[in-house]
Amino acid sequence: MSAIVVFDIDGVIRDVGNSYRRALADTVAEFTNGAYRPSAIDIDKLKSEGIWNNDWEGSQELIYRYFERQGQTRSGLNLDYDNIVAYFQTKYRGTDPIDWNGYICDEPLLVSLDYFDSLTAAQIPWGFFSGATQGSATYILERRLGLAAPILVAMEDAPGKPDPTGLLMVVARLKSSQELARSQSIVYVGDTVADMHTIVNARTQQKNRKFIGVGVLPPHILADPSQIASYRHSLLQSGAAIVIDNVTALTPTLIDLL
C-alpha cells in the first residue's frame, strides 16, 4: 500500500456541468432579476480564485459583483443568504424534499464501481472529501455509484476548501479503520484550484508526510478545447503534480509512480 487516495466528487466522480453549475447560473439570474446569467467561463474565473468551492457562496458572490458593476454597494443590497441557498436547492435537489426531482437526478457518472474495486484489489485505501452536502454526496456515491458506506467528509463535517482539515479527517478515518502505516503518501484528486490549494495547505500541517495533488480536467473543459491548456496550467500552477483527463487514468500503477 504505497499511498492513500482521497477523491473530490464534483467534476471528478460526477459531471456537475448541467447540475451544480446550472443551478448556480439559475440562482444568479434569479437574484439579478434576469439581468445577468454567468457563463461557464465566468464560473471558472470565479473558482480559479481558489476560495469559492461552496456554490451557494459562489452564487452570492457573483450576485454581489454584478450589482457592484452597476454602482451599488454590498451593504445596500440586503441580500438574504438563506433565500439564495433555498432557491439554489429547488433547482439542484428539486421541489420534492423526499424524492429529489432536480438537476442532481441526471448527473452523468465519470467512473464506475469497478474502478474502486481495482484500487481495493491493489490494496490502495480510498475515501472522499467534498464540498458537497452529505445528502448530495451520499446520493451519488451510494445510490448512484453503488458504494457501500464509503468514508466521506462533506460540507457539514469540516471547514471548506482550501482548509485541509477535511482531507486530514478522511486520512485519519482510513488509518483508524485499516491500521495503515503513518509513512504512506496522500494523494488528493480534484478538479479545481481550491482542491490543489488544499494539498499545499496540508503540507504545512503535516510536514513529515508526502502530499500529492492530482488534477482532473472536468467535462465542461474537455468539451471546449480552447480552454484545456489554460485550465491544465492553472491546476499545475496551484500545486498539482500531474493533470489527467479522467479519474480512471489514475491507475494503481500511476499511483505507485507518483
Side-chain angles (χ1 to χ4, degrees):
M1 294 185 285
S2 57
I4 294 170
V5 183
V6 182
F7 298 90
D8 180 32
I9 295 176
D10 302 336
V12 175
I13 303 301
R14 61 179 170 189
D15 180 355
V16 296
N18 203 36
S19 55
Y20 263 125
R21 295 169 68 93
R22 182 180 175 189
L24 189 159
D26 287 350
T27 302
V28 175
E30 173 70 15
F31 285 85
T32 59
N33 302 311
Y36 172 53
R37 182 181 181 85
S39 67
I41 293 176
D42 292 335
I43 296 171
D44 283 336
K45 285 181 178 178
L46 180 76
K47 289 185 174 291
S48 71
E49 296 174 15
I51 57 174
W52 304 108
N53 192 67
N54 183 316
D55 285 332
W56 300 337
E57 295 175 354
S59 300
Q60 178 178 250
E61 181 63 18
L62 287 178
I63 296 166
Y64 273 135
R65 293 185 186 186
Y66 167 76
F67 283 111
E68 285 177 330
R69 291 194 295 271
Q70 313 311 309
Q72 300 189 48
T73 63
R74 297 190 179 211
S75 59
L77 287 175
N78 196 31
L79 285 180
D80 189 321
Y81 180 70
D82 290 339
N83 285 344
I84 291 172
V85 172
Y87 182 84
F88 185 107
Q89 293 296 74
T90 66
K91 295 296 183 178
Y92 182 66
R93 289 191 177 184
T95 54
D96 189 327
I98 305 300
D99 296 314
W100 293 354
N101 56 6
Y103 300 154
I104 188 175
C105 299
D106 300 317
E107 290 173 331
L109 295 177
L110 302 174
V111 67
S112 70
L113 186 61
D114 290 342
Y115 173 73
F116 295 100
D117 288 342
S118 74
L119 296 183
T120 300
Q123 297 187 335
I124 297 173
W126 47 269
F128 301 90
F129 171 43
S130 172
T133 64
Q134 273 281 351
S136 170
T138 300
Y139 178 92
I140 207 71
L141 296 178
E142 298 187 12
R143 182 168 173 177
R144 293 284 311 282
L145 191 54
L147 297 175
I151 290 179
L152 164 69
V153 171
M155 177 191 290
E156 300 91 335
D157 308 317
K161 306 169 198 176
D163 188 308
T165 301
L167 172 61
L168 300 178
M169 286 171 62
V170 175
V171 172
R173 291 180 186 178
L174 285 167
K175 288 175 60 181
S176 176
S177 65
Q178 301 187 34
E179 298 183 358
L180 306 177
R182 184 172 180 79
S183 60
Q184 285 176 301
S185 299
I186 309 301
V187 177
Y188 186 48
V189 189
D191 70 316
T192 67
V193 167
D195 293 327
M196 299 305 105
H197 285 176
T198 300
I199 277 286
V200 173
N201 291 337
R203 293 174 187 145
T204 67
Q205 294 197 18
Q206 293 191 5
K207 296 181 180 179
N208 61 328
R209 302 196 74 157
K210 184 175 183 180
F211 289 88
I212 303 167
V214 173
V216 177
L217 297 177
H220 76 277
I221 292 296
L222 291 172
D224 184 358
S226 68
Q227 299 294 316
I228 290 176
S230 61
Y231 201 95
R232 186 186 303 274
H233 177 74
S234 178
L235 292 175
L236 290 170
Q237 287 292 103
S238 301
I242 188 175
V243 177
I244 55 181
D245 290 355
N246 184 279
V247 66
T248 56
L250 187 66
T251 62
T253 299
L254 180 54
I255 291 167
D256 192 53
L257 289 173
L258 288 170

